[in-house]
Amino acid sequence: MMSVPRLMRIVVVALRYRLDELVLSGISHPVAARLLWLVRLGSRPTMPRGLRLRLALESLGPIFVKFGQVLSTRRDLIPPDIADELTLLQDRVAPFPSEQAAAMIEAALGAPTSELFAQFDKDPVASASIAQVHFAVLHDGRHVAVKVLRPGMLEVIDKDLSLMRVLAGLIERLAPDGRRLKPREVVGEFDKHLHDELDLLREASNCSQLRRNFSDEGPRPNLLWVPEVMWDYCATNVFTMERMYGVPVSQIERLRSLGVDIPKLAQTGVEIFFTQVFDDGFFHADMHPGNIYVSDRPETLGRYIALDFGIVGSLSEFDKNYLAQNFLAFFQRDYRRVARLHIESGWVPPTTREEELEGAVRAVCEPYFDRPLAEISLGQVLLRLFQTSRRFNVEIQPQLVLLQKTLLNVEGLGRQLDPQLDLWKTAKPYLERWMHERIGFTGIKKKVLKEASQWSQWLPEFPRLLYAQLSRPDVSSELLSELKRSRQAREQSNRLLVALTGVAALALGVALWALIR
């Protein structure tokens, strides 16, 4: 699909809302000033710059709206007037007609809204880039929120992604760092998650999984409140969930007036993030303030509420272990360990000199330790790390793009709640405990118990399979030749047989104990 018309549309919108002035006005150079005068044709824009940027992003569609949502949390990188305007993208995008939403619900669920619900609010309570939400009441009295997908979204997103693929291909071919940055793989990852977000049944399943991970009966009750899914009222373009009552996390003064402990709330947010990433390997990857609320009910006051589960991330055991070790090495200022981990994982060429990479990482990170979050600009840290990675040919890992985005969201939320929050100090004890439980005796015990049911099935057959393998003619003759050739070989074989028997007996005993306990 050719994206030239879409590219022209972007240029037209940028000129219409005078985004050229927004860029050029920040450059102190005579050439930039002359270009700005030519573009203005002697006139100045009449609307504020933040409003112009928000309207332009809304006009360009969901991908650009999501870009604005992420940008709105980075008040350390953009002026306050622009950040304030971009926050309106989080849940105040212009809605589509309510009659169209009702018709889509009826077509998807096979009945009129008057039969499906005892009450259905035609006016949407929130309207975002992908869908809008209506409140309703079921016939059994339960209050719910009904999310309806915007019509025609697939065509719009495919056009934008087609343009992004073209740009990624140009970057890969023309930019000096194009191949190392893997732009086409990054766009492919973004493509997958955006299309997942268009399937509301998938979003409902994500919600259900996250609710199960933070169940009140689980190991971490009262940490995160996730709505219940009403599966009988769900379809690919309709998602009905329990209605949640709370205050947007960005309304700090209102939360403070309710008696919420704001510094504790900031620390809990960091704990929730690391719990999702390292304990579950399954995390909410769209944590901007429009999707995170705080309960205002007396019985659950101050408890986080998660909404909008269209984009989630998952990590393999290798990713979790690698990230945890890197975080801990950073917190402990063990830059040699960081360098070694990068080399062992294959993120940098094996010929990289460990001590050189260690010195480069130290130069980036050391100035930022022992500072409160208010004095740390993660944007500057990432910029310097990028410069370092270019020098050492570090390869970008596409599977971690969502995690990087989520970490930026978490930092933005933490900065708004408590500018004095020390992200490193808050996260370090959690990661140390996680590593102890994973690598120490507790971790070994958990792994043994997890595998016990599988061991109990094949361990009784182990002696017969071992005998059959050793009885093969080729194996037997080779083994006999070795035994005749050397007494040492015979002794080693005996020790090996004893060791195998002991391991099998021990594993069988553990498996049986785990099953009958």
Side-chain angles (χ1 to χ4, degrees), residues 393-414:
N393 296 316
V394 176
E395 293 189 357
I396 300 299
Q397 304 300 305
Q399 74 272 21
L400 300 180
V401 169
L402 272 181
L403 181 65
Q404 296 167 1
K405 168 184 174 293
T406 306
L407 183 57
L408 291 176
N409 287 150
V410 170
E411 186 205 22
L413 287 173

Side-chain angles (χ1 to χ4, degrees), residues 205-265:
S205 67
N206 293 338
C207 175
S208 182
Q209 177 66 53
L210 196 63
R211 177 181 172 86
R212 187 160 52 251
N213 291 347
F214 287 91
S215 168
D216 288 345
E217 292 76 30
R220 40 183 182 269
N222 304 321
L223 198 58
L224 181 65
W225 193 5
V226 181
E228 179 184 359
V229 177
M230 309 301 172
W231 286 108
D232 291 339
Y233 301 86
C234 293
T236 55
N237 58 350
V238 178
F239 171 25
T240 304
M241 73 195 90
E242 173 188 4
R243 178 176 174 178
M244 311 302 282
Y245 296 88
V247 178
V249 70
S250 57
Q251 297 184 11
I252 301 174
E253 291 305 320
R254 185 178 172 189
L255 291 172
R256 191 174 282 118
S257 68
L258 291 171
V260 176
D261 186 338
I262 301 300
K264 183 176 183 298
L265 191 67

Side-chain angles (χ1 to χ4, degrees), residues 136-192:
V137 180
L138 300 180
H139 289 290
D140 61 7
R142 288 180 294 175
H143 290 247
V144 297
V146 184
K147 184 173 183 177
V148 188
L149 194 69
R150 284 182 175 271
M153 287 305 304
L154 184 60
E155 293 79 4
V156 174
I157 286 180
D158 281 343
K159 288 181 180 178
D160 284 346
L161 287 171
S162 178
L163 176 60
M164 292 176 70
R165 291 189 194 95
V166 172
L167 295 176
L170 291 174
I171 292 173
E172 190 169 285
R173 287 195 299 270
L174 303 178
D177 293 326
R179 291 186 180 277
R180 180 179 62 83
L181 296 176
K182 301 180 181 179
R184 288 192 294 181
E185 293 185 37
V186 172
V187 172
E189 190 80 6
F190 194 32
D191 183 349
K192 181 178 78 70

Side-chain angles (χ1 to χ4, degrees), residues 444 448 452 455 459 498-514:
I444 295 174
V448 168
W455 293 355
L459 278 175
V498 171
L500 286 173
T501 304
V503 170
L506 176 62
L508 180 60
V510 171
L512 293 175
W513 172 79

Side-chain angles (χ1 to χ4, degrees), residues 209-210 212-214 218-221 223 270-283 313-317 319-321 323-324 327 403 427 429-439 442 446 450:
Q209 177 66 53
L210 196 63
R212 187 160 52 251
N213 291 347
F214 287 91
R220 40 183 182 269
L223 198 58
V270 175
E271 182 181 355
I272 289 173
F273 169 72
F274 283 103
T275 297
Q276 292 181 82
V277 171
F278 293 108
D279 281 356
D280 304 325
F282 183 87
F283 59 94
S314 58
L315 298 174
S316 67
E317 289 298 317
D319 290 334
K320 289 194 294 182
N321 186 62
L323 288 169
F327 272 120
L403 181 65
Y430 176 87
L431 285 171
E432 287 177 338
R433 176 178 59 81
W434 184 87
M435 288 296 291
H436 174 74
E437 292 179 353
R438 184 178 181 85
I439 297 177
T442 303
K446 287 182 178 179
K450 183 178 180 180

